[in-house]
Amino acid sequence: GAVVSQHPSRVICKSGTSVKIECRSLDFQATTMFWYRQFPKQSLMLMATSNEGSKATYEQGVEKDKFLINHASLTLSTLTVTSAHPEDSSFYICSARPPRTGGPAFFGQGTRLTVV
Amino acid sequence: SQQGEEDPQALSIQEGENATMNCSYKTSINNLQWYRQNSGRGLVHLILIRSNEREKHSGRLRVTLDTSKKSSSLLITASRAADTASYFCATDAGTYKYIFGTGTRLKVLA
């Protein structure tokens, strides 16, 4: 089946630094990918829609300057958490959907970000 | 908030029993899916049910959908300790942006 790979799976960074998370569709091209955030023991909240070759679309309340999204190729989207703070610590998950299948999206393994 | 709701929030059962989780959502949908998440891990797709379907089966899983009530249920039969996880419903209004439910934490005791 289709595979979405996310890297890194776990990252610890110092407050004030930036962290980049990669999301790759391994065996299909994805013009659109999605980024979600999940706080401990809570559900997933959609942050933004990543569009290949154009600007990302952010959900209400998500700071686009804080969470930079780049979708430079049909198989790679990146999420950069800029000037990270402890409150940015969370589980970030991406998803992508194989085109023209009518089937479900596939999710990456997730990235556990801890800002210290 | 557009987020769906699931109940119960937590469920603890004995191995071999059936587990039922319910999901309610707020807007019209194209399809609804159920996902499983083991602690601290990514999501695993379980089953997709389209808006024109009322019931689907996959192995020990049975999903129902009632679009008039904007609700769905997931039944896991003959549960196993390995079924212990969080279960989320997710709805797609046709934009492929999934709205997730609040989740049910299932614990199956051996």
Side-chain angles (χ1 to χ4, degrees):
Chain A
V3 177
V4 174
S5 177
Q6 203 170 325
H7 177 80
S9 59
R10 192 178 293 267
V11 59
I12 300 173
C13 71
K14 290 186 178 179
S15 197
T17 61
S18 295
V19 173
K20 181 185 285 188
I21 303 169
E22 294 185 347
C23 179
R24 293 181 186 273
S25 55
L26 296 185
D27 52 1
F28 64 95
Q29 293 183 333
T31 55
T32 305
M33 293 184 178
F34 302 91
W35 287 96
Y36 296 82
R37 181 174 182 175
Q38 185 182 32
F39 289 105
K41 297 188 178 180
Q42 294 190 30
S43 187
L44 286 79
M45 298 298 293
L46 179 65
M47 297 174 66
T49 303
S50 172
N51 304 298
E52 189 270 334
S54 65
K55 290 182 180 180
T57 306
Y58 291 82
E59 295 300 304
Q60 194 171 10
V62 178
E63 299 175 60
K64 61 180 180 181
D65 294 329
K66 170 68 140 175
F67 300 101
L68 299 180
I69 291 173
N70 184 282
H71 194 152
S73 79
L74 287 170
T75 59
L76 173 64
S77 173
T78 61
L79 169 69
T80 300
V81 182
T82 63
S83 187
H85 291 283
E87 57 264 31
D88 298 324
S89 298
S90 191
F91 195 56
Y92 294 88
I93 307 179
C94 69
S95 75
R97 182 179 173 278
R100 298 183 296 279
T101 62
F106 290 88
F107 285 80
Q109 308 95 315
T111 297
R112 171 78 59 196
L113 170 64
T114 303
V115 184
V116 298
Chain B
S1 169
Q2 291 296 310
Q3 192 169 37
E5 292 190 10
E6 289 180 58
D7 78 273
Q9 289 188 351
L11 179 61
S12 186
I13 59 174
Q14 294 291 325
E15 207 166 27
E17 294 181 338
N18 296 341
T20 300
M21 292 159 256
N22 302 295
C23 164
S24 60
Y25 56 92
K26 298 180 180 179
T27 63
S28 296
I29 62 170
N30 191 37
N31 63 71
L32 182 146
Q33 301 178 47
W34 284 89
Y35 288 87
R36 166 193 166 131
Q37 183 182 38
N38 287 82
S39 181
R41 309 288 292 275
L43 293 168
V44 175
H45 177 258
L46 294 177
I47 200 163
L48 178 154
I49 186 165
R50 301 187 190 282
S51 59
N52 61 352
E53 297 175 311
R54 291 297 166 257
E55 186 172 315
K56 281 190 86 168
H57 297 255
S58 177
R60 294 184 295 114
L61 305 180
R62 174 178 169 255
V63 168
T64 62
L65 178 65
D66 187 334
T67 53
S68 66
K69 295 181 180 178
K70 292 186 168 60
S71 67
S72 174
S73 68
L74 170 67
L75 168 67
I76 303 174
T77 60
S79 63
R80 305 166 183 168
D83 294 329
T84 295
S86 291
Y87 292 82
F88 295 93
C89 65
T91 55
D92 174 13
T95 62
Y96 313 128
K97 290 180 359 177
Y98 290 87
I99 305 298
F100 281 82
T102 48
T104 294
R105 293 190 302 280
L106 173 66
K107 190 169 187 177
V108 181
L109 304 170

